Amino acid sequence: MQVKKDIIAVMNVESNLDLRLFSTMRLGGRARHVAKIKNKDDIFEAEKFARENNLKIIVIGSGSNIIWKDSGFNGLLLVNEIPGIDIEDLHDHKILKVGAGVNWDEFVEKTVQMNLSGVEALSRIPGKVGATPIQNVGAYGQEVSQTIVTIEAYDTKTNQYVNIKNEDCGFGYRTSRFKTEDKNRYIITEITFKLQKDFPNLPLYPAVENYFLDNNILVTDPKTIRLAVINIRKNKLPDPSEVANNGSFFANPIITSEHFQSLQNKFQNISYWETGDGHYKISAAWLIEHAGFKNYKDDETGMSTWTSQPLVLVNESAKSTQDLLKFKQKITSKILEMFEINLEQEPELLP
Ligand SMILES: Cc1cc2nc3c(=O)[nH]c(=O)nc-3n(C[C@H](O)[C@H](O)[C@H](O)COP(=O)(O)OP(=O)(O)OC[C@H]3O[C@@H](n4cnc5c(N)ncnc54)[C@H](O)[C@@H]3O)c2cc1C
């Protein structure tokens, strides 16, 4: 294929790159083209380059919630590196406009240093700011949608920049319109957050509350909560820069009350939450553990489950995404057979 040299010179497109560099699971084939985007001009150029060369575009942050197929990506992969944090100080809150390529946890740290409240419980979640609305990241009682005012994005349908208000983002539990009806339509470039100066005395999430009790901590300001969450997460989850993984690999399944009753008759200690609408959310970690995959190493595929959290699948020595999918199949088949539950995968398989 003939590619336009002038565009490559400006935007620095690289070709035939190993996609394992762009997923924290470190598996997958090769990308035809990859470019880093650092500003709006880069996006216009990338879009033009893709149009002229008839290429599909995928934009990513740090690759912590994606897995690449072994067949690779025959298009243009854009890695979002748009920087910048602008802060406006208002009387009881601050408005922060943050570039989509800013590292999420560095942003959280900055907000906590300013003693602002709103995202402190989302500490140590890997990835970049621009990816957080896609699945409405959440942890320890906070969700990013609670602090987002607007999202600035390039609309690849109309070739224009748009500002999407919070109420138009279709946010729900681990979802948004960017993951569903408008998947791959928008390139998110900047997010505006509203964070509070006053720290509301909200009930703490049980794991954080227990940490405070165990460590005799009485102050519940954003800094203390961040520190607690970091310590809890360090003990429970592997660091993707050291251990290849995508965090929780399966979502907690939601089942009907009849299904739940029949399971509870057989498994008295099943771990669950009531959803409030007559359904039951079952702990996927409990299911995996009780299906025999706690602290499990699979020699055939080179995959394992993480010692302190079986919901995390770890690539120890897998050779391909096929190996990971084979291991996933072993787990899901056993769970289907034992509990009649179909576990759903959380990280996205691309393209
Ligand atoms: C150890 C570990 C722990 C985790 N813990 C949590 C947790 O507690 N809670 C939670 O919710 N998630 C968690 N995750 C998942 C993950 O960190 C989040 O989903 C995060 O927001 C992904 O960011 P990223 O930059 O790596 O996105 P990527 O994986 O690069 O991309 C994810 C999706 O977003 C899209 N995307 C990325 N950037 C843009 C953009 N600028 N514009 C449009 N689309 C874009 C991509 O195309 C893809 O569909 C965890 C992951 C790991 C590895």
Side-chain angles (χ1 to χ4, degrees):
M1 187 193 66
Q2 280 276 301
V3 287
K4 301 272 184 286
K5 294 284 180 215
D6 53 340
I7 300 292
I8 290 181
V10 180
M11 222 180 49
N12 201 8
V13 177
E14 293 182 83
S15 299
N16 193 25
L17 256 61
D18 189 342
L19 279 166
R20 287 178 297 181
L21 299 167
F22 304 101
S23 159
T24 56
M25 192 58 100
R26 290 178 212 132
L27 292 171
R30 300 190 83 78
R32 185 162 186 175
H33 300 293
V34 180
K36 292 175 180 163
I37 46 170
K38 295 182 192 289
N39 51 51
K40 289 185 179 177
D41 288 347
D42 288 349
I43 293 179
F44 278 122
E45 284 182 15
E47 202 277 326
K48 190 166 169 250
F49 174 72
R51 199 170 357 101
E52 288 175 353
N53 293 290
N54 202 19
L55 299 168
K56 195 183 156 203
I57 286 180
I58 294 180
V59 56
I60 62 159
S62 304
S64 63
N65 212 24
I66 54 176
I67 301 154
W68 295 102
K69 290 184 183 166
D70 293 324
S71 49
F73 175 45
N74 189 23
L76 173 62
L77 172 64
L78 298 181
V79 183
N80 196 320
E81 293 194 346
I82 299 174
I85 304 184
D86 282 347
I87 303 164
E88 189 185 354
D89 199 347
L90 298 164
H91 86 281
D92 61 348
H93 64 272
K94 285 189 186 185
I95 296 289
L96 297 96
K97 288 182 190 289
V98 190
V102 170
N103 175 282
W104 171 255
D105 195 50
E106 282 170 29
F107 165 62
V108 175
E109 185 173 25
K110 202 173 174 90
T111 69
V112 164
Q113 277 165 3
M114 291 186 280
N115 215 22
L116 295 173
S117 172
V119 291
E120 61 277 18
L122 305 179
S123 290
R124 215 168 192 257
I125 294 182
K128 293 189 180 161
V129 167
T132 57
I134 311 295
Q135 68 154 3
N136 182 18
V137 300
Y140 301 105
Q142 280 180 347
E143 280 185 344
V144 75
S145 58
Q146 294 162 337
T147 56
I148 290 178
V149 183
T150 53
I151 292 178
E152 181 199 71
Y154 181 78
D155 184 348
T156 58
K157 217 170 179 176
T158 61
N159 295 332
Q160 281 177 343
Y161 278 91
V162 287
N163 277 299
I164 306 169
K165 289 191 198 135
N166 180 308
E167 55 270 32
D168 299 326
C169 291
F171 285 128
Y173 176 69
R174 296 295 175 277
T175 192
S176 72
R177 67 188 274 191
F178 309 110
K179 195 180 162 183
T180 51
E181 69 261 32
D182 284 324
K183 193 170 157 37
N184 291 334
R185 174 170 171 181
Y186 295 104
I187 299 176
I188 294 173
T189 48
E190 185 180 89
I191 303 185
T192 303
F193 295 91
K194 180 180 175 182
L195 299 178
Q196 300 300 330
K197 289 184 189 174
D198 283 343
F199 182 55
N201 215 358
L202 296 173
L204 292 169
Y205 196 85
V208 180
E209 178 133 43
N210 288 339
Y211 180 91
F212 277 22
L213 285 173
D214 291 348
N215 293 280
N216 284 326
I217 297 169
L218 301 171
V219 204
T220 55
D221 61 6
K223 277 184 196 145
T224 325
I225 294 199
R226 174 170 165 80
L227 203 63
V229 169
I230 287 176
N231 284 327
I232 295 167
R233 291 183 75 102
K234 265 187 189 162
N235 284 330
K236 218 171 86 175
L237 295 167
D239 179 348
S241 66
E242 290 163 11
V243 176
N245 81 98
N246 278 132
S248 301
F249 198 83
F250 298 105
N252 291 319
I254 294 175
I255 61 172
T256 62
S257 139
E258 296 77 45
H259 190 170
F260 174 71
Q261 296 309 334
S262 80
L263 281 180
Q264 208 186 26
N265 288 340
K266 278 197 233 162
F267 308 97
Q268 275 88 34
N269 65 344
I270 188 165
S271 174
Y272 67 94
W273 304 266
E274 286 186 47
T275 58
D277 62 357
H279 288 77
Y280 288 79
K281 192 192 270 182
I282 309 298
S283 158
W286 186 93
L287 295 172
I288 296 169
E289 194 175 325
H290 288 80
F293 292 96
K294 188 183 162 117
N295 213 352
Y296 187 90
K297 284 190 198 308
D298 188 50
D299 291 339
E300 188 194 358
T301 60
M303 295 293 305
S304 68
T305 55
W306 185 242
T307 324
S308 44
Q309 175 50 283
L311 202 45
V312 176
L313 305 193
V314 169
N315 166 15
E316 289 198 349
S317 56
K319 292 192 174 51
S320 63
T321 300
Q322 202 45 44
D323 282 340
L324 161 66
L325 297 179
K326 199 184 257 180
F327 184 53
K328 169 194 159 183
Q329 185 65 35
K330 289 185 187 189
I331 297 175
T332 51
S333 314
K334 187 77 190 161
I335 285 173
L336 186 61
E337 182 196 314
M338 281 179 74
F339 307 104
E340 289 178 60
I341 288 179
N342 250 317
L343 280 190
E344 282 193 18
Q345 180 177 321
E346 267 207 356
E348 193 182 347
L349 185 63
L350 288 174

